[in-house]
Amino acid sequence: MAYLMLIFNKIADLQGYLSPFQSSHKTVGFVPTMGALHAGHLSLITESKNNTHITVCSIFVNPTQFNDPKDLERYPRTPEKDIELLKSANCDVVFMPSVEEMYPINAAKEHFDFGHLDKILEGQHRPGHFSGVAQVVKRFFQIVSPTKAFFGSKDYQQVMIVRALVQQMNAPIEIIACPILREADGLAMSSRNMLLNAEERVLAAQVPQIMQSAKQTVLKTGPQAAKLQVEALISKMPHCRYEYFEVCEANTLKPVSSLEPDTKYVGLIALFVGKIRLIDNLTFSL
Ligand code: AMP
């Protein structure tokens, strides 16, 4: 028998469907996505299926988190394929709202304060990005009222922002960070990878290698040497533009200039390959 997956476009219909589950204390798992799904997204669905009674996946290309209108325009959209993939992952419910449904015209714009968390790394290079993320995630959390929400560690800083958001909302939602899924050559899976041409795809595969060798340099010589090394390597790659490489304390995301024992660190990178912006990260300790 084909798997029955329900698709909703309207908030009221989704809430009407979820309400009996919630009132009978069934756990609701939520996986927010922007579509153009790949195995990384599906791993979040699987995690949710394994840990909750009912799994809701949203597909919504959120305009408010794009600081570059061209990036929003070229963001891949593959709704039919996404639906087939979600069926194959036994997802229970898909929520695909319109922009008007998510953002009624007279809704007030909210201001968020995440301290240093939204001012460094992605926050510094994509002004307004995390306000847009917080706005849409908060709205989804209010609509879906999930018990647990599943996010990929590929967007490491985003997970920290979402944890801070849930604290600020005082919402009883457990945030679960899931591992990064990678292609066979190590490139972190991303919807944006399908926008790379053949030559750019080969260049992109160097990113995980650069990260591994940066980690060795951090451990041997320290974060500053690794930063210089990453910047030098990327500036030699054709069509590529370095944005940042930073070593941070993994639990606070505070940049560090030396390592201490018994502490977890994360190295985070962002670069352009052609017009496509890629991010990746790697956790380690001494
Ligand atoms: P996106 O559609 O890019 O907004 O991503 C939706 C969710 O999937 C986010 O929580 C991402 O961190 C997660 N995700 C994206 N790529 C990967 C990956 N390669 N491995 C695991 N999770 C991922």
Side-chain angles (χ1 to χ4, degrees), residues 154-225:
K154 166 157 181 286
D155 298 278
Y156 194 95
Q157 194 173 4
Q158 172 171 278
V159 174
M160 302 199 63
I161 293 276
V162 171
R163 287 195 200 284
L165 173 71
V166 163
Q167 268 201 342
Q168 289 177 17
M169 288 171 68
N170 205 10
I173 302 171
E174 190 183 340
I175 303 303
I176 300 181
C178 303
I180 305 176
L181 255 74
R182 295 178 179 278
E183 303 288 354
D185 60 8
L187 177 64
M189 289 183 181
S190 165
S191 305
R192 289 190 163 88
N193 292 352
M194 66 175 78
L195 302 173
L196 298 166
N197 67 29
E199 187 191 357
E200 291 164 349
R201 177 64 185 76
V202 172
L203 290 165
Q206 292 186 34
V207 174
Q209 298 165 17
I210 289 174
M211 292 293 276
Q212 288 295 341
S213 87
K215 172 181 147 184
Q216 296 310 324
T217 303
V218 176
L219 294 174
K220 271 197 228 122
T221 327
Q224 188 54 28

Side-chain angles (χ1 to χ4, degrees), residues 16-38:
Y17 180 75
L18 291 179
S19 148
F21 291 93
Q22 275 146 349
S23 45
S24 58
H25 302 292
K26 294 270 189 288
T27 51
V28 176
F30 179 48
V31 180
T33 81
M34 296 205 298
L37 301 182
H38 51 67

